[in-house]
Amino acid sequence: MRNTRSGFRFLLFGVLVVPVVSGCNLPGRALRGYAAADADGLEALEEGGAFENAPRRLHGQVRFLFDDFGSLNTDELDTYAIPWKLTAAALVRARHESRGDPVSVETLRAAMAEFGFVSPQRIANWEGPQPRLDRPMGIVSGSARRGFPGVEIEIANLGCATCHAGPLYGADGLPTGDAWLGLPNTSFDLTGYVDGVFAALTRELDRPDTLLSSIATLFPSVSRRELGTLEKHVIPQAREQLAVRAQRYGGLLPFENGGPGLLNGVGSLRFIVGALHGDARPTELAWTSPPELSGSTLRRSLLIDGIYAPPGAARFGPMAESEVTSEHLDDLAGIVSLFVASTQGISPAGARRTIPRVRDIVEFVHSLKPPPFPGVVDAALAGRGRVVYAEACASCHGTYGDDVVAPRLLSHPNRFVAQDRMLTDTVRWGTVDSTSLRLMGQIGYDELIEAAASSGYVAPDLGGIWATAPYLHNGSVPTLWHLMHAEHRPERFWVGGHALDYELVGIAGDVDEAGTYVYPEGYEPWSKPFLYDTREPGRSNQGHEFSTMSEADKRALIEYMKAL
């Protein structure tokens, strides 16, 4: 039986109030009111659900797509959770006013797609009955209710699949409409989404009658109770707090995430624990690209700079598939639970309580495979590329099996590459300082995570690399061909809603007269593109050069990497 906890605090709109610092309790939930929702979709794990008796990895599959980790409650409306129907209607109204689009579900879908949200026809690597997705993939939601006084609100947040489930592409390089769990969504623009919500609400909250009418049109089954809750409590306080945030930060958040396919986990965690003051956007630039997840359980430490490792365990050094034990997965779950705080806005104490649920997801991630390349791989050329890879790449990026059509990752070297050798952008590893490291003890995570400063990056495995452009840890190179030809890397290129080029392997396009790498003529991107400028701080495309490799070897290596 699904339960909804009672109590309701008159709502403060999500990400509009200074976050509650870990360990700080206000007068108490009984006095200030509290309500929580169960995430839609998790009923599949309950008695009579499709996955009730499924193995742990399939419980993890369901949680990967639907779990909110306890973030759908009125407390988390102080951080990253949002009142879904209000936000959705504001975004639709914005398009209606600016473009003349109708107030409809189709317009809402288009508005969310503009930010890179995916609404797939099918999840290609889903095991079992295909899930029902009433929201864009990655939006987790549920309704919080209280009988007296009569209040109700649908609360939403971002789940794992927002960033870690991406669109698949066909042999023509165009999106197929299907998605793959574990593949990064390199078109999702979190900063664009946050800014879009801020602009839409700023414009629409002064017209509450029109906004409530649009909610009723978009959600015909909305209850009178929820409309009343929004009108009496949410809209007035949201309007007030928008003004506070605008004055304090110039927007909803004091940091940015960098554009499509990028995240700023360091800035987010600092925000959640109250360590950011004022507008920190000029300095919080430590954005990184989410990884493809299929090889991640062979990691000894996590994040691109390897700063998080289990206490007392080796941070670097090879790990074979056969060495991945249940205890190792337990350790990873402890680390990953902290990511719940930085991505869903819950307190570190709340994040620790999610470890058993995160452990299910880690089990699922351990079972993942990268998506197969949709085109034809030249087996002879790839065979030569396998030799090149073994000689030039494997010591950093991992050892793969002998199959040149679908090689399997056998061992990850977990090799730390110092800055003076790799020469890539330094902002990410340079951001993690002694103050950041002390947070582990302050938030109660020092028993689960041993954090250490870095001076470089841990080379990732290359599973599914054909579908993960742009490349390098900060997403600064549009194709593998450009990665291997440093002198031709464009200073500026478009990313987001792109098609793929399987010759260059990466974002499809060409260089225009101004030297910008642009999409092919006539191509209509499915999300709003972002102009990536490698001259800006945190966006350098330097380093990781192939200056001594022959052209023949580069061609062979690219062909082999299509199959990884």
Side-chain angles (χ1 to χ4, degrees):
M1 181 71 66
R2 306 178 75 205
N3 297 315
T4 301
R5 286 173 280 182
S6 62
F8 189 85
R9 176 164 59 94
F10 287 161
L11 297 170
L12 298 174
F13 179 70
V15 299
L16 296 178
V17 185
V18 176
V20 178
V21 178
S22 173
C24 176
N25 291 317
L26 296 181
R29 290 177 176 177
L31 294 178
R32 59 192 167 90
Y34 179 83
D38 294 304
D40 295 335
L42 291 184
E43 64 272 10
L45 302 178
E46 297 174 357
E47 184 176 354
F51 293 89
E52 175 193 2
N53 298 313
R56 189 172 197 176
R57 62 182 173 79
L58 294 186
H59 280 225
Q61 174 186 249
V62 173
R63 294 193 185 283
F64 189 92
L65 189 59
F66 292 115
D67 208 328
D68 67 298
F69 303 101
S71 69
L72 300 183
N73 62 68
T74 52
D75 282 352
E76 306 319 322
L77 287 170
D78 286 352
T79 54
Y80 292 164
I82 61 172
W84 169 247
K85 293 184 178 71
L86 182 71
T87 304
L91 290 171
V92 169
R93 293 293 314 171
R95 289 181 71 97
H96 176 72
E97 296 291 337
S98 64
R99 307 184 186 198
D101 292 353
V103 177
S104 67
V105 173
E106 290 73 21
T107 298
L108 174 58
R109 188 176 296 113
M112 298 300 283
E114 183 173 308
F115 305 123
F117 284 97
V118 177
S119 297
Q121 302 169 358
R122 183 178 69 107
I123 298 176
N125 61 335
W126 185 267
E127 190 171 339
Q130 281 288 314
R132 176 179 173 178
L133 296 175
D134 295 326
R135 307 282 179 265
M137 187 170 60
I139 295 285
V140 295
S141 70
S143 292
R145 301 180 179 90
R146 178 176 174 172
F148 182 80
V151 291
E152 177 180 343
I153 183 171
E154 183 180 3
I155 302 173
N157 209 332
L158 301 182
C160 300
T162 310
C163 302
H164 294 291
L168 287 177
Y169 296 80
D172 57 1
L174 299 178
T176 64
D178 291 346
W180 191 273
L181 300 183
L183 186 68
N185 182 355
T186 60
S187 290
F188 175 59
D189 186 352
L190 183 51
T191 291
Y193 172 59
V194 170
D195 290 348
V197 168
F198 178 76
L201 286 169
T202 298
R203 182 168 46 245
E204 301 300 328
L205 285 175
D206 286 332
R207 296 179 286 182
D209 292 343
T210 302
L211 194 54
L212 291 168
S213 174
S214 297
I215 290 173
T217 300
L218 291 169
F219 305 98
S221 62
V222 64
S223 69
R224 295 178 64 183
R225 176 181 293 182
E226 183 167 7
L227 289 172
T229 300
L230 294 171
E231 181 179 15
K232 294 176 183 178
H233 307 304
V234 179
I235 290 176
Q237 295 217 38
R239 188 187 299 119
E240 177 183 336
Q241 292 300 329
L242 276 171
V244 172
R245 282 294 177 103
Q247 182 177 15
R248 183 174 295 160
Y249 303 139
L252 285 186
L253 295 175
F255 66 94
E256 293 186 347
N257 285 280
L262 295 171
L263 297 174
N264 189 346
V266 174
S268 182
L269 183 59
R270 287 174 174 171
F271 173 63
I272 291 302
V273 301
L276 294 185
H277 307 286
D279 185 357
R281 285 175 292 183
T283 57
E284 291 293 325
L285 308 174
W287 34 67
T288 60
S289 302
E292 195 276 332
L293 294 179
S294 65
S296 58
T297 54
L298 273 66
R299 288 286 302 269
R300 293 190 180 276
S301 59
L302 295 185
L303 301 183
I304 188 64
D305 36 15
I307 62 171
Y308 292 161
R315 187 175 299 272
F316 309 118
M319 174 170 280
E321 188 178 39
S322 59
E323 295 179 78
V324 178
T325 63
S326 179
E327 290 74 18
H328 175 66
L329 299 182
D330 290 344
D331 288 341
L332 293 183
I335 298 174
V336 173
S337 69
L338 181 61
F339 303 163
V340 175
S342 61
T343 58
Q344 296 191 298
I346 69 175
S347 70
R352 289 196 301 275
R353 291 193 291 270
T354 70
I355 290 176
R357 293 149 77 173
V358 173
R359 179 62 175 81
D360 289 350
I361 290 178
V362 171
E363 194 77 27
F364 167 64
V365 169
H366 185 54
S367 72
L368 283 173
K369 295 179 174 59
F373 181 68
V376 176
V377 175
D378 183 328
L381 185 60
R384 293 195 293 275
R386 182 171 69 85
V387 175
V388 176
Y389 176 88
E391 294 175 350
C393 309
S395 63
C396 289
H397 293 290
T399 300
Y400 287 82
D402 293 338
D403 186 353
V404 297
V405 177
R408 184 166 58 92
L409 180 65
L410 303 178
S411 176
H412 195 303
N414 290 288
R415 183 170 178 177
F416 173 77
V417 184
Q419 177 63 30
D420 60 1
R421 178 182 176 190
M422 192 52 57
L423 303 177
T424 50
D425 192 279
T426 64
V427 169
R428 164 60 199 218
W429 67 255
T431 298
V432 181
D433 54 16
S434 58
T435 301
S436 302
L437 298 179
R438 284 196 296 271
L439 280 177
M440 292 302 106
Q442 295 170 5
I443 65 179
Y445 257 84
D446 50 350
E447 293 183 359
L448 296 169
I449 297 175
E450 185 177 305
S454 176
S455 58
Y457 300 107
V458 178
D461 72 272
L462 303 180
I465 193 170
W466 65 269
T468 64
Y471 303 108
L472 294 183
H473 75 274
N474 59 353
S476 58
V477 180
T479 74
L480 289 182
W481 186 90
H482 288 101
L483 183 68
M484 295 184 189
H485 297 81
E487 68 278 14
H488 294 295
R489 294 176 188 175
E491 282 190 338
R492 303 196 306 168
F493 64 91
W494 291 98
V495 58
H498 46 268
L500 295 183
D501 182 316
Y502 296 144
E503 227 179 283
L504 304 179
V505 183
I507 297 173
D510 205 350
V511 177
D512 68 7
E513 294 179 356
T516 300
Y517 191 75
V518 299
Y519 294 163
E521 185 176 356
Y523 176 71
E524 292 292 334
W526 58 269
S527 69
K528 185 176 180 179
F530 173 84
L531 185 59
Y532 194 109
D533 192 332
T534 64
R535 297 167 296 184
E536 296 176 355
R539 301 187 189 276
S540 171
N541 64 3
Q542 300 302 300
H544 202 304
E545 297 188 3
F546 294 73
S547 56
T548 63
M549 187 176 290
S550 71
E551 284 300 311
D553 283 351
K554 290 176 183 178
R555 286 196 302 273
L557 180 58
I558 287 177
E559 192 69 17
Y560 174 68
M561 291 170 73
K562 294 177 184 179
L564 296 181

